[in-house]
Amino acid sequence: MSDELTSLLDLLDLERIEQDIFRGSSRASLVPRVFGGQVAAQALVAACRTVPEGRLPHSLHAYFLRPGDPGAHIVYTVDRIRDGRSFTTRRVVAVQHGQPVFHLSASFQVHEEGLEHQEEMPPAPDPETLPTAEEVVPRYRELFVDPQVPERLLRARAAVDLRYVEEPPFGRVGRPSAPRSQVWFRTNGKLDGELDDPTLHICLATYVSDMTLLDSVLLAHGRGGWAVGDVVGASLDHAMWFHRPFRADEWLLYDQESPTAQGGRGLAKGRIFTRDGRLVASVIQEGVVRVPRRGGAAGSTGQPASPAAASR
């Protein structure tokens, strides 16, 4: 297991400070706020730790309320809304500096047999044939507004082997294309022994699900994103449905598309498939996607617009 994956697992191992109150730390992010996938995954971990054994998450619905402070602990308070015969419901509020920064509702279910059907997996090349992030990101170094961006980007995603099927948005600046994007991903290391927990696989997929989902919005307009300074943005809400068992340490295809963008907001939806074609999760997210008011890709100063410009 890589050191980076060990660090991520430590990040998700929350400290219990009361029966239904947990505390988590943060790791360095690409922008000066807590990465949305981190707070979503931590909140789901907190909820999972209050649920009867044998019940797994089947859905979550979350709102990002304020930019999180990566230099401060996050306190997660869990409300035990309902424990039914088949379903359990939990609500989690994440607090920093006395204010809520994130809200999550999650539903859990015991295993049941039932009707089965699913969409077919879209065509995608074998992940092993695709270049790694370490091979792709340096190719676009001259496009980035800050020479430290490549290292920051690779460091922030080092716990995950994430491979773009086609060029990432920052490689297609000025070339609008169909609002679709695909990536393969898996953790950089196997989850064995005590770590081989189905809830942990779900929480890790939740963490990764926020990394690239809004890419399809950017592609539709030939925008490269924060790395090239031609948009500022932030996640507004995030919803996931978990359909079938999967492993986060085995290749998963994340197929993403954007049906609409308007009013400074973009909507994206994604489907996550196993390598053998099983649909295991569905994702929908809306985010703030704004063009910097100074004009141009990075403004007259050559510096990126501040991520704070996306604050609500």
Side-chain angles (χ1 to χ4, degrees):
M1 181 184 299
S2 67
D3 291 341
E4 293 81 5
L5 179 56
T6 299
S7 176
L8 174 57
L9 295 176
D10 289 341
L11 195 73
L12 298 182
D13 188 15
L14 303 180
E15 175 191 3
R16 187 189 294 266
I17 57 179
E18 278 290 349
Q19 180 180 5
D20 294 333
I21 303 176
F22 304 84
R23 179 164 54 203
S25 58
S26 296
R27 64 189 303 177
S29 181
L30 297 173
V31 292
R33 59 174 179 264
V34 176
F35 169 53
Q38 175 202 304
V39 69
Q42 287 182 328
L44 186 58
V45 168
C48 289
R49 292 189 177 178
T50 70
V51 170
E53 188 175 354
R55 301 189 178 208
L56 295 177
H58 73 85
S59 70
L60 65 85
H61 300 262
Y63 283 93
F64 299 91
L65 306 176
R66 293 179 175 85
D69 176 2
H73 284 100
I74 308 173
V75 175
Y76 297 90
T77 301
V78 182
D79 288 337
R80 301 182 183 231
I81 303 300
R82 179 177 181 270
D83 288 298
R85 287 184 296 178
S86 299
F87 292 89
T88 288
T89 306
R90 294 291 185 262
R91 179 174 60 211
V92 184
V93 178
V95 176
Q96 279 189 316
H97 307 304
Q99 293 186 312
V101 298
F102 179 81
H103 173 278
L104 175 140
S105 294
S107 184
F108 300 75
Q109 183 188 16
V110 297
H111 174 73
E112 294 186 25
E113 298 295 335
L115 302 175
E116 283 271 348
H117 78 274
Q118 69 160 74
E119 294 179 300
E120 289 190 8
M121 180 178 177
D126 189 284
E128 304 287 356
T129 67
L130 299 173
T132 65
E134 290 77 11
E135 294 169 328
V136 169
V137 172
R139 298 176 187 173
Y140 305 102
R141 185 179 299 273
E142 71 280 0
L143 297 176
F144 297 141
V145 293
D146 183 336
Q148 296 182 351
V149 163
E151 288 72 23
R152 289 167 56 201
L153 180 59
L154 292 172
R155 187 168 60 249
R157 297 182 176 180
V160 180
D161 187 350
L162 189 149
R163 305 190 185 192
Y164 282 91
V165 169
E166 296 182 335
E167 285 184 295
F170 50 78
R172 291 193 251 179
V173 176
R175 292 183 285 140
S177 59
R180 297 187 63 91
S181 177
Q182 289 181 326
V183 296
W184 286 97
F185 72 88
R186 64 179 177 183
T187 57
N188 258 325
K190 297 295 290 183
L191 301 174
D192 299 320
E194 294 181 356
L195 295 175
D196 191 8
D197 179 345
T199 60
L200 181 57
H201 290 278
I202 291 172
C203 291
L204 285 166
T206 300
Y207 177 86
V208 178
S209 68
D210 189 42
M211 284 185 175
T212 61
L213 189 51
L214 294 179
D215 282 358
S216 54
V217 178
L218 303 178
L219 292 171
H221 303 274
R223 297 279 170 170
W226 70 271
V228 300
D230 61 359
V231 296
V232 291
S235 301
L236 289 171
D237 58 15
H238 197 82
M240 297 187 73
W241 294 263
F242 305 102
H243 311 305
R244 295 170 179 84
F246 63 90
R247 299 185 62 88
D249 58 0
E250 296 181 353
W251 285 116
L252 296 168
L253 177 68
Y254 198 4
D255 183 68
Q256 303 151 101
E257 64 178 320
S258 174
T260 184
Q262 71 297 306
R265 307 187 317 276
L267 184 70
K269 56 183 182 179
R271 301 174 298 168
I272 300 177
F273 294 86
T274 60
R275 199 171 184 175
D276 60 1
R278 292 182 299 116
L279 177 62
V280 297
S282 300
V283 193
I284 295 181
Q285 182 180 88
E286 187 173 47
V288 172
V289 182
R290 292 175 177 152
V291 176
R293 294 176 183 172
R294 287 180 291 177
S300 58
T301 63
Q303 297 299 317
S306 168
S311 299
R312 299 170 294 284

